[in-house]
Amino acid sequence: GARGSVDALLNLLFTASRWKDADAATRQKLLAKLVAKVSLFLEILTGFIIAYDGVSALSDYTLSPVGARPTMLSVAKRAMCAYLYFNFLMVRRKKISSLVSTLRGGAVHVPGRILDVLLEPKREMGFEVDSDDEYEDGEDVSSQKKGWKDYASMAFSP
């Protein structure tokens, strides 16, 4: 049902091994970290929107003909709002830099996670996977199959 769908989605977000093996307290911590990162990202996005609004108000005032200009009071309000929100973001500067470094470091793993999800979606969602352990001639599968990491290391090795 709905719980299975949510578990499958969260297995994809947090990797099946971390989510499936976690107890309730650990799951709550994982979700809290995810919500904090999303919230901080949305705060930054709001800052960009407010900054754009402040810049557009200033450009409307300076570039419009005298009869079509917005009032100085409305421009001052929008510029003050952008300034105050910028100060708020500067207070949260450490958290923002932490989020950026997490995104940069995590970006290295994104292509591999996407390939894992596309190539073996059941395993990545934490479902039991039935696989043949041997070929017909009796050789071990693990000695024959190569994963994307093996191919990537072969491609980039000197």
Side-chain angles (χ1 to χ4, degrees):
R3 178 160 172 105
S5 301
V6 170
D7 276 341
L9 176 68
L10 293 174
N11 279 329
L12 290 175
L13 284 174
F14 294 115
T15 68
S17 61
R18 285 180 63 197
W19 183 254
K20 229 178 173 182
D21 298 337
D23 60 345
T26 306
R27 285 183 177 192
Q28 189 174 7
K29 286 179 186 177
L30 288 171
L31 288 173
K33 286 180 184 178
L34 177 67
V35 168
K37 286 179 183 179
V38 169
S39 175
L40 187 58
F41 174 76
L42 292 176
E43 287 175 8
I44 294 168
L45 183 64
T46 302
F48 281 122
I49 292 170
I50 290 175
Y52 173 76
D53 182 57
V55 169
S56 69
L58 187 62
S59 68
D60 285 347
Y61 184 78
T62 56
L63 300 177
S64 296
V66 175
R69 283 185 181 169
T71 63
M72 185 62 176
L73 182 61
S74 70
V75 173
K77 286 179 185 178
R78 290 161 74 181
M80 181 60 78
C81 183
Y83 173 75
L84 290 173
Y85 201 82
F86 178 74
N87 281 338
F88 167 73
L89 289 178
M90 286 295 102
V91 169
R92 297 181 54 90
R93 176 178 30 215
K94 287 183 181 178
K95 288 189 178 187
I96 292 171
S97 65
S98 157
L99 177 68
V100 169
S101 65
T102 301
L103 291 176
R104 279 192 205 150
V108 172
H109 302 291
V110 170
R113 288 283 297 146
I114 290 173
L115 285 174
D116 286 342
V117 168
L118 291 175
L119 294 174
E120 299 182 73
K122 285 185 179 180
R123 185 177 63 88
E124 288 301 312
M125 287 190 283
F127 296 123
E128 294 296 323
V129 179
D130 296 331
S131 63
D132 298 326
D133 290 338
E134 295 184 3
Y135 283 118
E136 293 170 8
D137 59 357
E139 291 182 32
D140 187 19
V141 171
S142 60
S143 65
Q144 294 293 323
K145 289 189 176 181
K146 293 189 187 289
W148 66 269
K149 290 179 185 176
D150 299 321
Y151 291 117
S153 66
M154 284 190 287
F156 294 115
S157 64

